Amino acid sequence: MRKTLYAVLLLSVTFSAQYTDINIIKEVKVKNKGVVVSAHPLASEAGAKILKQGGNAFDAVIATQLALAVVYPQAGNIGGGGFLVATTPEGKYLALDYRETAPSKASFDMYWDKKGNANTDLSQNGRLAVGVPGSISGMFETIKYAKLPFSKLIEPAIDLAQKGFAITEQEAGLLNRHKADFLKHNKNKIAFVKDLPWKAGDLLIQPELAETLRRIQKAGEREFYEGKTANLIVAEMKLGNGIIQPQDLKNYKTKERKALTFDYKGYQIVSMPMPSSGGTLLAQMLKMVSYEDLSKYQMNSEEAVQIMVEAERRAYADRAEYMGDPDFIEDKTQMLISNDYLKSRWKSFDKNTATPSNDVGKIINPNQKESTETTHISILDKFGNAVSVTTTLNGLYGSKTVVSGAGFFLNNEMDDFSVKPGVPNMYGAVGGEANKIQPGKRMLSSMTPTVVLKDGKVKMVVGTPGGTTIPTSVFQAVVDVIDFKQNANFSVNAPKFHHQWLPEVVKVENKFPETTIKALEKKNYKFEKVSQIGRTEVIVVDSNQNIHAVADGRGDDSVGVE
């Protein structure tokens, strides 16, 4: 265990690899240094190295995202999209939207059969499920705030793809479980399939992806959207029933949105606006629970959980009715987060019993499926820049389709639209007209990259994967730190819970307190135990500017330090 004047590195596990040792660091306490928290140790290390070379948080997040596209193929990507929320010491708030868009040939009924039934297999698997990718565009938009050239930031990812790295036990298990899917949805040989089962320590080498990254290194953003890579994407579409056209790629643009900001108990919350539902849900939930003052209760107690679940129930009912791409619908965010509206929503709260979901929204009974493969990066640099990025392919390995000759997975983000009003997506979320499929539209998201400030200084950088569980996990992290005065480690690793209006059940992790479950069952709450909710990456800064960075213990997540 190495201790220095600057940092204490805790819970470290080392694996051997061809390219570099893999050092999983779960917790770092540091001062006056930058930190990176992500889903994979090699990606966090790539970002930390950029900080050491003089880069800022924006440089580091680009390098980390690119590295994740190599070492974390189930969710890290260049074939998907994401959101960036950032704050600078000068007081600038930034929100970049590089969410995927529906292709120009998309239509509201494109996944319906002749009888009008929705075929969600088509919206979740294969080439027809793919939205126009935004990740590369988003990174090139981010470079405007960075200090180093993009060609330098992409170099670690190229090395990792070309030389290979040793996969962990978790990664080997995922590749083995999805071998049949990969074979079904790919007509050409891909790096993720081999004859013998994958095992921990095997090298994953991705020469086609390395070449793609080199092309982007040399020719920039337009190579992906108009060059050879674009041509390979379109050719992949033609191998099946995909509909992305050259113009769809050429016309893709990242949008700079106005960050969603609001106060909670003297803290300034900076989060993502629509087409993310996350920031709006977070604002709704925090404001509703403020009417009850959670600080009077213990974390995960009967009283606190009931209050938080009821806030979640009401917010997610609004998600289904009102939320979508603000460029295509009337943006009702300010109404939805207003105290007048939320107090009226909260009037039906009864501490003695569960509120029936049909009392707060129109009931449609979905059959919930679960998929949570998004990934999050939290970064704070020594200059005071905080960057929170959540990026995704949507489902695990996205559409399961790899671009032939380019070596990367494509997303299955079209499933995040309401493929038919009332039909749940893979996360069980129900949508309506506001989130219907339209050409060029961005599908509603749950991603909730967030920065919390106190008196203008960074207090928290937080985010998580987890589909519709993302906003509730970020909600819990903020409440844990502000209301329950928990440290970053306890907030990240304590058992979580989640409710989303429909289905009418509270999901809890296996180690959630039985006393709380039993007490709430007496009030008509229904529970379902699950193995995992999210993988939260948190940085917390105390009043003395001591930094506590924690990577979630539910996976191979790791902290990198400058």
Side-chain angles (χ1 to χ4, degrees):
M1 201 76 68
R2 182 173 181 265
K3 295 187 178 182
T4 73
L5 179 64
Y6 300 104
V8 182
L9 306 185
L10 305 172
L11 303 179
S12 175
V13 183
T14 301
F15 298 87
S16 293
Q18 180 179 357
Y19 177 71
T20 183
D21 286 341
I22 300 178
N23 192 26
I24 297 178
I25 300 170
K26 288 297 183 187
E27 186 174 4
V28 167
K29 294 181 179 179
V30 70
K31 192 168 186 176
N32 299 324
K33 283 186 176 288
V35 290
V36 179
V37 194
S38 85
H40 197 284
L42 290 175
S44 295
E45 183 179 296
K49 284 182 177 178
I50 291 298
L51 292 176
K52 290 176 184 176
Q53 293 170 15
N56 62 17
F58 297 98
D59 294 289
V61 83
I62 294 168
T64 304
Q65 285 180 88
L66 289 164
L68 283 170
V70 179
V71 300
Y72 196 66
Q74 62 262 47
N77 68 84
I78 60 173
F83 297 130
L84 176 149
V85 169
T87 64
T88 71
E90 296 78 31
K92 180 176 177 62
Y93 301 161
L94 184 66
L96 296 182
D97 169 7
Y98 42 101
R99 183 72 160 151
E100 301 91 333
T101 59
S104 56
K105 289 191 173 183
S107 61
F108 74 94
D109 60 353
M110 62 187 286
Y111 300 114
W112 299 11
D113 64 20
K114 293 179 180 179
K115 295 181 179 179
N117 298 312
N119 183 348
T120 54
D121 180 60
L122 292 176
S123 67
Q124 294 173 13
N125 298 294
R127 298 163 188 82
L128 190 61
V130 183
V132 182
S135 288
I136 288 295
S137 173
M139 291 182 224
F140 276 94
E141 193 69 22
T142 305
I143 200 73
K144 296 177 181 178
Y145 306 93
K147 298 171 67 178
L148 303 177
F150 193 91
S151 59
K152 186 178 186 68
L153 305 181
I154 201 171
E155 194 65 45
I158 294 172
D159 284 348
L160 286 163
Q162 185 65 45
K163 297 177 183 178
F165 63 97
I167 63 173
T168 66
E169 185 176 354
Q170 284 197 13
E171 290 163 342
L174 286 174
L175 289 171
N176 291 332
R177 286 198 292 276
H178 288 275
K179 181 177 181 178
D181 293 327
F182 299 156
L183 291 172
K184 178 180 178 180
H185 295 292
N186 292 279
K187 295 189 176 181
N188 296 306
K189 186 176 180 181
I190 64 173
F192 308 99
V193 173
K194 65 189 188 82
D195 293 336
L196 296 174
W198 291 94
K199 62 184 186 301
D202 283 351
L203 291 175
L204 176 57
I205 302 173
Q206 301 169 74
E208 288 186 346
L209 178 56
E211 285 303 311
T212 297
L213 295 173
R214 281 199 188 94
R215 290 195 301 273
I216 295 169
Q217 183 185 42
K218 292 177 182 177
E221 176 183 1
R222 299 328 303 172
E223 202 293 318
F224 185 90
Y225 291 98
E226 297 180 53
K228 181 177 179 179
T229 305
N231 294 337
L232 291 170
I233 293 171
V234 173
E236 186 63 45
M237 294 292 106
K238 293 177 180 178
L239 290 177
N241 53 359
I243 59 173
I244 292 176
Q245 306 295 304
Q247 285 299 115
D248 295 327
L249 292 162
K250 184 178 180 179
N251 293 337
Y252 185 87
K253 294 287 186 296
T254 292
K255 296 201 171 198
E256 184 167 342
R257 306 279 187 188
K258 183 179 179 182
L260 180 61
T261 62
F262 60 95
D263 289 319
Y264 179 66
K265 295 192 170 182
Y267 294 84
Q268 184 80 357
I269 314 294
V270 185
S271 196
M272 193 70 204
M274 289 196 286
S276 172
S277 64
T280 304
L281 291 171
L282 183 61
Q284 287 187 299
M285 293 184 295
L286 285 171
K287 288 187 176 189
M288 280 188 275
V289 299
S290 71
Y291 305 145
E292 302 295 327
D293 190 9
L294 287 173
S295 63
K296 297 188 298 185
Y297 307 109
Q298 290 186 337
M299 177 183 177
N300 285 346
S301 65
E302 170 195 348
E303 296 87 354
V305 172
Q306 181 180 16
I307 291 166
M308 295 172 74
V309 162
E310 292 301 339
E312 293 170 0
R313 188 194 308 273
R314 288 156 176 78
Y316 277 78
D318 286 344
R319 181 190 194 277
E321 183 171 355
Y322 295 110
M323 299 185 200
D325 184 341
D327 297 333
F328 284 75
I329 64 168
E330 181 184 356
D331 187 347
K332 295 188 177 181
T333 300
Q334 292 309 310
M335 180 275 286
L336 292 170
I337 68 173
S338 68
N339 275 312
D340 285 347
Y341 175 75
L342 292 173
K343 285 180 178 177
S344 71
R345 290 293 261 159
W346 199 245
K347 282 180 181 178
S348 58
F349 171 71
D350 183 349
K351 66 181 181 180
N352 297 309
T353 188
T355 304
S357 284
N358 60 4
D359 285 1
V360 297
K362 183 180 178 182
I363 280 287
I364 305 158
N365 290 318
N367 294 312
Q368 181 160 7
K369 299 179 182 179
E370 192 64 30
S371 180
T372 58
E373 285 313 313
T374 301
T375 191
H376 182 80
I377 307 162
S378 292
I379 300 181
L380 180 64
D381 67 26
K382 63 186 176 185
F383 310 110
N385 297 296
V387 180
S388 184
V389 167
T390 313
T391 182
T392 187
L393 288 168
N394 196 30
L396 191 70
Y397 301 106
S399 63
K400 314 296 189 300
T401 301
V402 175
V403 179
S404 299
F408 60 89
F409 282 102
L410 290 166
N411 67 82
N412 62 343
E413 211 64 70
M414 293 297 288
D415 190 63
D416 263 359
F417 282 115
S418 175
V419 299
K420 185 177 181 182
V423 175
N425 67 10
M426 67 173 62
Y427 303 103
V430 177
E433 286 293 312
N435 191 38
K436 72 179 181 181
I437 300 171
Q438 294 174 259
K441 189 176 184 179
R442 298 177 191 227
M443 56 291 291
L444 186 63
S445 172
S446 294
M447 295 184 287
T448 317
T450 299
V451 178
V452 180
L453 305 172
K454 178 71 170 177
D455 300 325
K457 294 183 177 180
V458 176
K459 173 67 178 179
M460 288 182 74
V461 188
V462 59
T464 182
T468 47
T469 70
I470 292 173
T472 58
S473 293
V474 173
F475 170 44
Q476 287 169 62
V478 172
V479 165
D480 289 347
V481 172
I482 293 177
D483 289 285
F484 301 135
K485 310 301 181 188
Q486 299 295 339
N487 66 35
N489 194 321
F490 197 78
S491 171
V492 166
N493 293 305
K496 291 184 171 64
F497 63 93
H498 167 76
H499 183 58
Q500 61 180 50
W501 176 57
L502 292 177
E504 201 157 353
V505 62
V506 182
K507 289 183 177 291
V508 294
E509 290 186 311
N510 288 327
K511 294 183 180 180
F512 199 79
E514 287 292 336
T515 52
T516 298
I517 293 173
K518 291 185 186 310
L520 290 174
E521 283 177 336
K522 293 178 181 177
K523 295 181 178 181
N524 299 319
Y525 290 90
K526 297 176 182 178
F527 288 85
E528 177 187 344
K529 289 188 177 181
V530 296
S531 60
Q532 180 178 321
I533 296 176
R535 285 164 62 171
T536 312
E537 320 293 8
V538 170
I539 301 168
V540 175
V541 186
D542 70 16
S543 57
N544 295 317
Q545 297 306 296
N546 296 305
I547 299 165
H548 190 185
V550 176
D552 201 302
R554 295 167 179 82
D556 297 323
D557 309 49
S558 186
V559 182
V561 63
E562 182 181 359

